[in-house]
Amino acid sequence: MANVSERISQSAFDGSRLRVILMMDLYDGAQNEFLEAYEHMRNQVASIPGHISDQLCQSIENPSQWLITSEWESAPPFLAWVNSEEHVATVQPLHNCVRDTRSLRFSVLRETGVAFENTSEKSKGGLQAAPRLGDGVVRHALTFTVKPGTEEMVAKLLSDYDSPQARVDENTRLRRTSLFMHGNRVVRAVEVEGDLMAALRHVSRQPEVRAVEEAINPYLEQDRDLSDPDSARMFFTRAALPTVHHVKAGRHAPEDVQRHSLFYQAKEGCGMALARLLAGQDEEAANDASSPIESSTIFQRDDVVVRLLEVKGPLGAQPTQALGIGGPRKAAMLGRLLDGGANGMPTTDQEAARFLAQAEMNLITDRRATES
């Protein structure tokens, strides 16, 4: 079906400067402790490659409301920093001071003012080339590992629970949750209309969700105590698997496609480069009218890359395109970035089909919201 919907796209790889806004509500009496922690954090962040500047602001209407804005040469260096263990340790002291936070990330599209034109900062990153078309959906994923040998038990627990209420508030709604496993790794991908953090908080409070989360605790490789806010926060911070690229071609109706997920283990330090390579391949597929791939969402953290696909027809019908390796050159590049992949990249469709079978994750649940 042609022209089912308009093409949509979002990406961390367009080379534009990034503006990050962190809104915070401080506990009463925590300002001095917060300022101390901020000074330490500011000095750490200033040394991160790709960081340009930051500002700390306090509300003139409500002194408990604070704002940190930072500017980065592009999204990749920021994402590498914010998803690192170093970042987790650096921001830990802030948790005792802050009642609530919300983080927003924006590409810089336009700017005015002569001050910027007269500084060397102009060379540090460019502007977003053109506005992108979205669909009002925020995509995010969580990933964690379970103890080897417990995979079947965990899969059963994660599939046998009632879905939480989809409606969060008048502006936010859970749209879809898909859960996959690859060996002992679990990936939960969520789609939200509205405020992602509000939706995640809503889900975490639902009794059916809390029960299944408690039930899988004994099987997790990383210990956590959900009754301890610091332990829960640390676990979900490390489990976050952010979206770095999403593209939808708009050629196929939703009922004509099926959802699949592929797991890629990158070499140490190569996760972002691998995600960028796959993103470029998926942009090409979106421009190819013969491609069965309707949409692709790439999640990446450290050296873990997950690619969520909506595909018309069998996933293995075009195995090289499904893997994101259109052509021998792309296969060789992928091999250089994959952990253990340099000597085993497929050069024929038959080899690609075997490789695809190894990369494909098992779908445990795929739940769509039914209420309007």
Side-chain angles (χ1 to χ4, degrees), residues 1 3 30 44 69 77 91 118 188 202 268 299 321 333:
M1 182 184 298
N3 300 321
Q44 291 285 103
T69 66
V91 301
N118 296 329
R188 178 186 287 132
H202 164 79
E268 185 175 356
F299 305 96
Q321 190 171 74
M333 293 172 64

Side-chain angles (χ1 to χ4, degrees), residues 62-251:
N62 183 349
S64 71
Q65 293 180 344
W66 293 67
L67 182 72
I68 297 176
T69 66
S70 61
E71 190 165 5
W72 297 74
E73 292 178 15
S74 62
F78 166 77
L79 292 173
W81 153 248
V82 80
N83 293 325
S84 68
E85 287 295 316
E86 183 183 4
H87 176 264
V88 171
T90 299
V91 301
Q92 180 63 30
L94 292 177
H95 294 156
N96 297 327
C97 315
V98 177
R99 181 184 293 112
D100 191 27
T101 63
R102 186 181 182 195
S103 178
L104 303 172
R105 302 157 189 186
F106 298 86
S107 293
V108 181
L109 182 67
R110 299 285 187 272
E111 61 189 347
T112 58
V114 296
F116 179 84
E117 298 292 336
N118 296 329
T119 69
S120 62
E121 304 299 330
K122 185 178 180 181
S123 63
K124 297 183 178 181
L127 299 178
Q128 182 180 315
R132 290 185 287 266
L133 181 67
D135 57 358
V137 177
V138 182
R139 296 168 175 85
H140 188 66
L142 297 170
T143 185
F144 52 87
T145 55
V146 299
K147 296 172 183 175
T150 68
E151 295 89 349
E152 287 189 15
M153 176 62 72
V154 170
K156 186 175 188 313
L157 288 169
L158 291 173
S159 60
D160 285 350
Y161 71 94
D162 294 332
S163 298
Q165 182 181 353
R167 178 64 60 183
V168 177
D169 54 40
E170 60 180 7
N171 299 314
T172 300
R173 177 176 176 265
L174 296 170
R175 175 171 158 170
R176 189 172 183 178
T177 300
S178 303
L179 195 141
F180 298 87
M181 292 186 70
H182 188 271
N184 70 329
R185 178 171 293 280
V186 178
V187 172
R188 178 186 287 132
V190 297
E191 297 179 2
V192 173
E193 296 175 6
D195 187 337
L196 173 65
M197 294 311 298
L200 294 179
R201 283 193 294 266
H202 164 79
V203 170
S204 70
R205 297 185 186 119
Q206 302 307 302
E208 57 271 28
V209 174
R210 293 188 68 87
V212 75
E213 293 288 350
E214 291 289 352
I216 67 172
N217 270 349
Y219 307 114
L220 299 178
E221 286 198 314
Q222 179 188 338
D223 291 335
R224 69 178 182 185
D225 179 1
L226 295 179
S227 65
D228 177 0
D230 284 338
S231 175
R233 183 188 301 114
M234 196 65 67
F235 178 87
F236 287 110
T237 297
R238 290 193 172 107
L241 192 63
T243 303
V244 293
H245 190 84
H246 174 75
V247 62
K248 178 181 177 183
R251 286 190 294 266

Side-chain angles (χ1 to χ4, degrees), residues 43-64:
N43 292 332
Q44 291 285 103
V45 176
S47 65
I48 302 300
H51 175 264
I52 297 176
S53 64
D54 62 75
Q55 292 180 319
L56 175 65
C57 310
Q58 185 178 21
S59 170
I60 61 174
E61 298 171 331
N62 183 349
S64 71

